[in-house]
Amino acid sequence: MLAQRGNRICGTWSYYATGYYDGRVVATTRSPTEARRIFVCGRPGSETSKECEQGWEAVDKPLRLCGDKLGDLDSERGGCYADFARVSDAHGEMEALQKQPWMQACLTGNPAEGAR
């Protein structure tokens, strides 16, 4: 789930691979369809090596809109590789997420304040 205020994007991610992985992400927009992830934290695995209680890990990775999907990887030619589809209804979950202190700090431009 992602929220945007100005050029700042903040949100959560999760997926299942060899176990359940989840975390938080901070990105800044570059254009109407592209952003760069600049900080992540969460369960250590393929996305991060830092638990959110320890702070943020600096990264420089893409986040792109490709039609109606979201991509977080570069394709072989540097184009869009989108594999995340929009969920049908996450309104209640989004409201709860936006009330969390880390999210409020992130959207105002200082994710480090609300990281713990």
Side-chain angles (χ1 to χ4, degrees):
M1 290 193 300
L2 302 172
Q4 182 174 350
R5 183 176 295 156
N7 72 337
R8 178 62 64 106
I9 299 170
C10 307
T12 60
W13 53 268
S14 63
Y15 66 92
Y16 185 84
T18 56
Y20 182 75
Y21 297 90
D22 64 344
R24 301 172 184 166
V25 61
V26 179
T28 57
T29 60
R30 298 269 173 103
S31 75
T33 59
E34 185 175 355
R36 294 301 291 183
R37 290 175 284 162
I38 57 173
F39 296 111
V40 294
C41 68
R43 180 173 174 218
S46 65
E47 295 294 322
T48 184
S49 60
K50 250 188 181 176
E51 293 278 355
C52 292
E53 293 77 25
Q54 299 171 328
W56 295 95
E57 178 179 349
V59 296
D60 182 20
K61 295 183 177 181
L63 194 61
R64 294 187 179 107
L65 288 176
C66 306
D68 63 347
K69 291 192 174 188
L70 182 67
D72 66 348
L73 298 171
D74 286 323
S75 71
E76 290 179 13
R77 295 187 180 116
C80 202
Y81 179 77
D83 53 353
F84 297 101
R86 181 183 293 256
V87 295
S88 58
D89 184 24
H91 182 71
E93 291 176 72
M94 181 56 78
E95 278 185 12
L97 177 63
Q98 288 181 324
K99 290 179 182 177
Q100 293 182 16
W102 79 267
M103 176 64 96
Q104 292 176 6
C106 180
L107 289 172
T108 59
N110 192 354
E113 281 185 16
R116 291 176 177 76

